[in-house]
Amino acid sequence: MENIMLPKPHKILAVLKETNAEYTFRVAYNQPIDYNQFFQLSIPKVGEAPISVSGKGQGYVDFTIRKIGRLTEGIFGLQKDDTLFMRGPYGNSFPVADFENKNLVVIAGGTGIAPVRPLLNHFVQHPEICQNVYFMAGFKNLDAVIYADELPKFASAFQTTYCLDTEAAPGFRQGFVTEYIQNVPFADFDDYNIAIVGPPIMMAAAAKACLQEGAAPEKIWVSFERRMSCAIGKCGHCKINDTYVCLDGPVFNYTKARNLFD
C-alpha cells in the first residue's frame, strides 16, 4: 500500500527572484493539478510546509515562496538542479468551469496573487471563454510587488487596479485594495463570480466591501492559505469548528467562509 504521507523527490528546473523575500521555484512535475491546490514541500530532517501552486505548464509546477521560517530558509538555499521533496496535490479548487463565460472579479492581497496567478493566466490564454475580468492586487510597497514582469500582461487583458499600501509609484494607486472595490460595476453584471485571496483580515474586509456594493454572498469565493499542516485531516491544526481546511478547502464559498474567519 502506498504511503500517502511519503514525499517524493522532484528536480528544481529554475529559481526566479521575485523580491528580497519571495522566490519562485519551478519544479519538474507532469501530473494534473486543479486551480488553487497546494503541495506539502519538504527538506529531509528540516521539515515541511503547505505551499500553493503559483503556476503550471507542460512538465512543471511553480511555487512562489516567502522566506519566513526554518523550512523556507532551507528551500531558499536550493538551486537549479537540486532536489525538492513534495507530496500532493491536496485540496479543492476554484470552480473555474463556473467562472467561464461570466464576469469575474479577482482580488488579491500581497502574496495572495500567487494562488490566483494560474487562474489569471488561464483567462489570458483563453479570452474567448470569459466576459470581463477585473483584477485588483494590493501590495505593501514597491519592494513587495511580485510578478512585476507579468502585471503589464494582465493589465492589457483585464480591467486592473494595482495598489500600494504606503507609497505612490507609477502604475499604482495609493491605499488599500479594498478601497477601490467600489469602482467595480457589479450592478452592470448579468452574472459574475468573485475570487479573493490574501491575509484573512484582508479577505474579510474585501468580502464585506463587495457585499456593500451589492454582491451576493454565494458569488464570493475565498481561499484560506494558512492553518494546514498534515494536509490529510489527521493532525487537526487546520480545524475551524467542524471544518478541516485541508480537506474541505482551502477554497470556500463565502456562505460558509464567513463563519470561518478568526
Side-chain angles (χ1 to χ4, degrees):
M1 181 179 295
E2 182 180 4
N3 184 352
I4 61 173
M5 294 289 288
L6 182 65
K8 297 180 179 179
H10 293 263
K11 182 179 179 180
I12 296 176
L13 303 177
V15 180
L16 175 65
K17 180 180 179 180
E18 303 288 354
T19 72
N20 288 333
E22 289 101 3
Y23 282 31
T24 294
F25 292 80
R26 178 159 292 181
V27 183
Y29 188 80
N30 58 9
Q31 298 299 316
I33 309 168
D34 288 332
Y35 296 94
N36 209 71
Q37 287 193 296
F38 67 96
F39 283 78
Q40 290 287 131
L41 306 188
S42 62
I43 298 177
K45 299 182 181 180
V46 176
E48 68 174 3
I51 305 292
S52 295
V53 172
S54 64
K56 59 181 182 176
Q58 187 65 40
Y60 74 86
V61 62
D62 287 343
F63 301 98
T64 300
I65 301 173
R66 173 179 288 180
K67 188 194 300 185
I68 56 173
R70 184 184 176 195
L71 173 68
T72 53
E73 286 181 0
I75 293 176
F76 270 54
L78 300 177
Q79 301 176 357
K80 179 183 176 182
D81 295 329
D82 284 343
T83 297
L84 182 63
F85 286 79
M86 299 164 36
R87 59 182 176 91
Y90 298 109
N92 63 0
S93 62
F94 286 114
V96 177
D98 190 54
F99 290 176
E100 295 177 355
N101 300 308
K102 299 176 184 178
N103 294 286
L104 176 63
V105 180
V106 179
I107 307 170
T111 54
I113 187 177
V116 298
R117 181 176 171 233
L119 173 67
L120 294 169
N121 278 315
H122 173 70
F123 286 106
V124 168
Q125 295 161 7
H126 301 284
E128 74 282 358
I129 60 173
C130 66
Q131 293 188 25
N132 295 306
V133 176
Y134 292 78
F135 174 43
M136 314 180 74
F139 306 94
K140 183 177 180 180
N141 52 43
L142 204 56
D143 291 335
V145 175
I146 60 175
Y147 311 133
D149 293 341
E150 286 193 276
L151 295 184
K153 175 185 68 177
F154 296 142
S156 67
F158 309 142
Q159 302 290 328
T160 56
T161 302
Y162 301 143
C163 306
L164 301 176
D165 295 349
T166 60
E167 62 186 44
F172 293 87
R173 299 188 181 188
Q174 187 170 2
F176 296 116
V177 68
T178 51
E179 299 172 20
Y180 297 95
I181 291 174
Q182 62 182 332
N183 297 332
V184 178
F186 289 109
D188 297 337
F189 295 162
D190 53 351
D191 202 354
Y192 63 94
N193 283 283
I194 305 165
I196 306 174
V197 184
I201 190 171
M202 170 266 168
M203 291 195 295
K208 182 178 180 180
C210 290
L211 295 174
Q212 290 174 340
E213 296 302 317
E218 63 271 17
K219 296 296 184 180
I220 302 173
W221 302 85
V222 301
S223 180
F224 286 82
E225 298 302 312
R226 302 178 181 180
R227 292 183 174 270
M228 293 176 290
S229 183
C230 73
I232 59 172
K234 299 299 183 182
C235 71
H237 286 186
C238 73
K239 189 177 181 182
I240 307 175
N241 300 323
D242 61 346
T243 299
Y244 286 87
V245 173
C246 67
L247 297 180
D248 301 325
V251 176
F252 294 92
N253 187 268
Y254 187 71
T255 54
K256 181 167 185 174
R258 59 189 170 193
N259 298 316
L260 301 179
F261 288 107
D262 292 333

